[in-house]
Amino acid sequence: MIPFLDLHAPHVELRDEIDTAIARVVSSGWYILGPEVEAFETEYAAYCGTPHCVGVGNGLDALHLTLRAMDVGVGDEVIVPSNTYIATWLAVSQCGALPVPVEPDTTTHNIDPARIEAAITPRTKVILPVHLYGHPADLDPILAIARRRGLRVLEDGAQAHGARYRGQRLGGHGDAVAWSFYPGKNLGALGDGGAVTTRDATLAERLRMLRNYGSREKYVNEVQGYNSRLDPIQAAVLRVKLAHLDSWNARRRAIAARYLSDLADTPLILPQVPDWAEPAWHLFVVRHARRDELQRALTVAGVGSLIHYPIPPFRQAAYRQTRLAFDACPIADTLAGEVLSLPMGPHLSAEQVTQVAATVRQFA
Ligand SMILES: *Cc1c(COP(=O)(O)O)cnc(C)c1O
């Protein structure tokens, strides 16, 4: 049996370091924010090459609080990909704003910059590209549109820790990047966690207030804020794992290279990497017209796989009541019917990769 993702293996590898880090927090007496969270924020900001990092409760809050800090509210519109995890859309809806979907480029599965201008209206405030599957979105044309039209850019980096765009790590290309440390991500905690990186000191300051009841000084509340703080135990675990992120991403890269060569002459549509992209390979997503049959064949052979994502946000019951400002998203619908994620992770062995590829080849 080859699991889609082994969440236990990383903690076996780092058990002693993680136990020590957790014990340090327990004996410190600091259980909300404090030095461990600040140390992680400093280290992650340095890793991303960005001056500011603000730790929050999860990736959805990282997106939602940043949109709030950008003054997105009722009546505003935010441009989002038509194919993404629903969190990207929910963050917009939680502000009372309208998510306006833009279809992806079918080679990268990321938002197609050429389709963005047509979706902009006088109510548009923010463009929210997602670095889906760990593949950086094409940021330069998006940033150029935002500059020309007076919009802000918030990137959803939940799947892309350590990925590079044109040689530079994600974290400070746009106005802000929202990160999730959900356990299955490339940089994952032992529970929920999230953060925002930004070059904008004012935005960072607003986020620090919003995550902590709208307060800078205890019992002084300047705005109606939230309770969404990165937990110090999770921060301590993340500091341990951040030191291993590059080597774990390198293992993912090697696995992707093996899949790409072993599956090259099959009818599957494989991920394509533009020359300006260094993906974090959060997922290895293939396309096949008979996707459900392929998944059944893998299951029978004991190979785990998942679909990211089977139902686009605009097809979810959650959005049935929302009057969306578009007719249809045929590309998102097609991708939802054809994508399949093969096992991927730093602890997948070379033998396992060979076995997965052989099983896929047998089907194809
Ligand atoms: C995981 C994920 C999120 C949400 O992160 P949580 O920490 O689970 O709230 C947001 N966007 C994308 C693209 C994700 O993959």
Side-chain angles (χ1 to χ4, degrees):
M1 181 69 206
I2 300 175
F4 172 72
L5 174 65
D6 186 346
L7 273 181
H8 187 56
H11 302 110
V12 173
E13 182 181 329
L14 303 179
R15 175 168 283 147
D16 292 345
E17 280 180 83
I18 288 176
D19 285 351
T20 306
I22 292 173
R24 187 173 68 233
V25 178
V26 172
S27 53
S28 76
W30 272 101
Y31 305 128
I32 297 290
L33 295 176
E36 205 71 50
V37 172
E38 283 166 27
F40 172 72
E41 289 174 338
T42 302
E43 289 162 15
Y44 195 59
Y47 177 83
C48 294
T50 313
H52 310 285
C53 173
V54 181
V56 296
N58 55 67
L60 173 59
D61 286 355
L63 290 162
H64 171 220
L65 267 55
T66 306
L67 291 171
R68 292 272 181 193
M70 291 175 168
D71 284 322
V72 172
V74 176
D76 293 330
E77 294 179 0
V78 175
I79 290 179
V80 295
S82 56
N83 62 321
T84 178
Y85 183 55
I86 196 168
T88 318
W89 285 49
L90 288 176
V92 177
S93 304
Q94 287 180 358
C95 295
L98 188 69
V100 176
V102 166
E103 291 265 73
D105 175 329
T106 50
T107 61
T108 64
H109 295 211
N110 272 322
I111 195 166
D112 184 349
R115 297 171 191 267
I116 290 177
E117 293 249 40
I120 295 174
T121 78
R123 292 176 296 280
T124 309
K125 271 218 167 139
V126 175
I127 306 174
L128 206 178
V130 178
H131 304 296
L132 197 66
Y133 309 150
H135 290 254
D138 193 2
L139 289 170
D140 279 352
I142 296 172
L143 295 169
I145 294 166
R147 262 194 307 276
R148 201 160 58 235
R149 307 294 291 256
L151 306 174
R152 305 197 82 178
V153 175
L154 166 60
E155 302 158 51
D156 183 339
Q159 304 187 355
H161 316 79
R164 290 173 194 265
Y165 177 70
R166 297 196 183 277
Q168 193 189 333
R169 272 218 189 93
L170 298 178
H173 291 86
D175 293 286
V177 184
W179 304 95
S180 163
F181 306 122
Y182 180 83
K185 310 291 190 187
N186 287 37
L187 180 60
L190 295 180
D192 279 310
V196 181
T197 53
T198 180
R199 284 175 281 108
D200 182 339
T202 309
L203 191 72
E205 186 63 21
R206 296 193 74 181
L207 282 164
R208 287 185 200 285
M209 264 201 284
L210 284 172
R211 74 173 172 183
N212 194 25
Y213 289 107
S215 166
R216 258 187 286 219
E217 192 187 328
K218 206 169 173 72
Y219 305 131
V220 179
N221 302 85
E222 299 171 50
V223 294
Q224 293 181 10
Y226 302 84
N227 176 355
S228 183
R229 304 170 290 217
L230 179 61
D231 184 276
I233 291 182
Q234 300 306 337
V237 171
L238 288 167
R239 291 180 70 194
V240 171
K241 294 176 85 176
L242 180 58
H244 298 269
L245 179 58
D246 281 344
S247 72
W248 287 2
N249 276 352
R251 288 195 224 165
R252 290 175 182 271
R253 205 156 48 236
I255 292 165
R258 274 291 308 282
Y259 277 148
L260 287 171
S261 69
D262 282 12
L263 301 175
D265 56 350
T266 66
L268 267 73
I269 300 176
L270 300 176
Q272 293 183 47
V273 182
D275 58 8
W276 41 260
E278 285 172 56
W281 293 107
H282 174 58
L283 299 171
F284 190 92
V285 177
V286 299
R287 273 178 72 188
H288 196 287
R290 291 185 292 129
R291 184 269 317 277
D292 293 341
E293 285 173 60
L294 171 58
Q295 185 170 38
R296 265 194 298 278
L298 289 171
T299 305
V300 168
V303 175
S305 64
L306 285 175
I307 297 166
H308 297 92
Y309 295 92
I311 306 170
F314 58 88
R315 295 255 174 236
Q316 298 282 359
Y319 278 99
R320 204 177 291 145
Q321 305 297 331
T322 311
R323 236 183 333 120
L324 294 167
F326 66 101
D327 301 326
C329 293
I331 300 177
D333 280 330
T334 301
L335 292 180
E338 297 187 354
V339 293
L340 188 68
S341 306
L342 301 182
M344 170 55 86
H347 296 85
L348 197 66
S349 71
E351 299 73 54
Q352 288 176 314
V353 177
T354 305
Q355 200 182 321
V356 174
T359 310
V360 174
R361 290 180 66 90
Q362 206 166 16
F363 172 86

